[in-house]
Amino acid sequence: MKSDLVLVTGAGGFIGGHLVADLRRQGYRFIRAVDIKPFEDWCQIFSGAENLSLDLNLRENCLRAARGARQVYNLAANMGGMGFIENNKALCMLSVLINTHMLQAALECGVERYFYSSSACVYNAEKQKRPDCPGLKEEDAYPAMAEDGYGWEKLFSERMCRHFREDFGLQTRVARFHNVYGPFGTWDGGREKAPAAICRKVIEAKASGRLEIEIWGTGERTRSFMYVDDCITGIGKIMPSAILEPVNLGSNELVTINQLVSIVEEIAGVRLKRIYNPAAPQGVTGRNSDNTLLRRHLNWEPGIPLREGLAKTYAWIYDEFAKRQRLGAPLIALGSRSRCDTQSLWPAAPASGSGP
Ligand code: GKE
């Protein structure tokens, strides 16, 4: 019902903010948006929602968040790209407190439906040893050998969702997100994932005139990257569905990181010297999503082409970067350069096309 109170946790984050926007577009009138971050750090915030800055590691805050809610979308987690999760394994595992307390609160508050955002990081590392590995099927999470820290927490929390459904009747739904990217995603500071990181690095290279880019690893590892609009569409289809087990929510357009860089270079109209850093965090060798189960249940799968999503993402990061220059913030990763005059660096955006 559009008059239901809907709770979105992690609402100050990238995907959470897009989810709140989508629920508003669908006509939900009572949305409670919760995040641990102070409002000024939220990716998107909507005056029409009830916005709360709460630490949901704490049980009493989860009860406050869930009180009166009919639907809960639990997207709250301490996470990021490989640069973050490889160096913060314990912190990532503590997100188990959020899902545990949110499940307890949902049960106590009579929540009807509960969505949990899991991750492709739950998959057995042995199935991701080759760049050309076949797409991961849901059963490939077992026997379990998840990504250290973050992946194990996600796998454990998936199972807790299942047992809260089987033992207590809480209707839980779980989707395994495969590397989501798009506007409003983190693009610097260390938590960014590859698509946003590469966009930022290309923009920095153009701005500085130093036409080179550092790529983590060899550039030959493979991933699929799902545009955020597909992620939101998928959440909207999975939540009311009868899909009881965890299901992939990811693109099956497999690319190497080198191919990702080439697409962004083509969008930016530049060619850069590639400097590979094998010491940087790399994650699994290859990962793709097998969408057989998703198609069988929903007759749908993510389909926004990477080139199309990257063009929108690049243009958005370019604007954010230019805004930052206008505010006088130092150029990221440009060493000791003094604050630059934005005008001299940022030619007027072309009248048409996908940004600079
Ligand atoms: N973040 C980043 N930044 N990755 C880079 C960069 C860079 O500048 N240059 C190359 N890469 C390479 C990484 O070494 C890795 O091999 C690949 O891009 C993807 O890195 P990523 O986007 O940070 O994260 P992963 O796909 O390895 O893992 C992420 O998977 C998600 C689910 O699919 C996790 O970090 C979580 O964000 C999440 O579980």
Side-chain angles (χ1 to χ4, degrees):
M1 300 284 287
K2 296 295 194 267
S3 56
D4 287 352
L5 173 59
V6 182
L7 167 65
V8 178
T9 73
F14 164 42
I15 301 171
H18 281 279
L19 180 57
V20 172
D22 185 64
L23 291 166
R24 284 162 49 78
R25 275 192 296 270
Q26 290 182 52
Y28 283 93
R29 302 203 315 274
F30 306 103
I31 301 168
R32 182 174 292 153
V34 178
D35 201 287
I36 193 168
K37 297 190 288 286
F39 293 148
E40 60 270 22
D41 294 342
W42 287 31
C43 299
Q44 301 180 78
I45 193 163
F46 302 92
S47 56
E50 176 194 1
N51 299 307
L52 299 174
S53 176
L54 289 177
D55 179 355
L56 295 177
N57 289 287
L58 304 175
R59 190 169 183 278
E60 62 271 19
N61 287 343
C62 289
L63 278 168
R64 178 175 169 202
R67 198 157 289 124
R70 299 290 284 271
Q71 299 178 50
V72 171
Y73 293 87
N74 181 28
L75 278 62
N78 200 344
M79 67 85 70
M82 272 324 289
F84 181 80
I85 71 169
E86 190 153 297
N87 297 301
N88 294 280
K89 295 182 174 70
L91 272 183
C92 289
M93 294 207 85
L94 285 173
S95 294
V96 73
L97 294 173
I98 300 172
N99 195 49
T100 303
H101 291 149
M102 271 314 313
L103 282 166
Q104 289 177 315
L107 199 57
E108 275 188 52
C109 298
V111 164
E112 280 184 3
R113 190 99 3 153
Y114 184 103
F115 177 88
Y116 173 67
S117 57
S118 184
S119 161
C121 280
V122 304
Y123 284 111
N124 185 318
E126 289 304 309
K127 308 261 181 160
Q128 305 173 80
K129 290 277 191 193
R130 293 178 14 222
D132 60 347
C133 60
L136 293 160
K137 294 184 180 301
E138 283 75 5
E139 59 266 28
D140 288 333
Y142 298 98
M145 188 42 74
E147 179 84 45
D148 237 351
Y150 180 73
W152 282 103
E153 185 277 322
K154 287 295 182 184
L155 193 61
F156 178 87
S157 288
E158 284 186 4
R159 298 182 72 83
M160 198 184 285
C161 288
R162 173 179 149 197
H163 296 313
F164 265 67
R165 187 182 73 248
E166 291 171 345
D167 295 357
F168 304 136
L170 177 64
Q171 278 306 312
T172 55
R173 297 293 182 268
V174 176
R176 290 171 179 162
F177 292 177
H178 288 247
N179 210 310
V180 189
Y181 74 100
F184 296 102
T186 304
W187 53 280
D188 73 340
R191 290 179 186 255
E192 66 276 11
K193 288 179 270 187
I198 299 303
C199 285
R200 185 201 74 239
K201 291 180 178 181
V202 170
I203 292 166
E204 286 169 346
K206 283 190 77 172
S208 68
R210 197 168 58 213
L211 299 185
E212 57 189 37
I213 182 170
E214 184 207 49
I215 299 172
W216 294 0
T218 62
E220 286 311 301
R221 298 207 170 195
T222 57
R223 293 290 185 280
S224 71
F225 299 105
M226 176 171 59
Y227 189 63
V228 64
D229 289 0
D230 268 336
C231 183
I232 298 304
T233 302
I235 293 171
K237 291 175 180 288
I238 293 165
M239 183 62 149
S241 77
I243 308 175
L244 301 184
E245 293 308 313
V247 65
N248 277 325
L249 182 49
S251 164
N252 60 11
E253 182 185 355
L254 189 70
V255 293
T256 66
I257 299 306
N258 276 324
Q259 288 168 325
L260 171 71
V261 174
S262 298
I263 295 171
V264 178
E265 284 179 330
E266 185 261 324
I267 291 166
V270 71
R271 293 298 299 275
L272 302 176
K273 176 172 178 265
R274 299 186 183 191
I275 299 164
Y276 295 99
N277 179 357
Q282 300 188 50
V284 294
T285 305
R287 174 184 287 157
N288 196 8
S289 178
D290 179 301
N291 293 335
T292 305
L293 188 63
L294 192 67
R295 283 195 304 270
R296 186 182 317 141
H297 280 286
L298 299 179
N299 192 29
W300 174 88
E301 65 180 307
I304 296 173
L306 182 58
R307 170 64 176 73
E308 179 184 323
L310 279 175
K312 293 174 183 169
T313 306
Y314 179 90
W316 181 82
I317 294 176
Y318 179 92
D319 290 345
E320 291 300 299
F321 199 106
K323 261 188 263 176
R324 181 178 295 179
Q325 305 322 319
R326 280 196 290 280
L327 293 172
L331 275 177
I332 308 283
L334 291 183
S336 57
R337 266 182 74 105
S338 61
R339 289 183 178 163
C340 54
D341 163 4
T342 307
Q343 294 313 316
S344 65
L345 269 181
W346 301 100
S352 60
S354 57

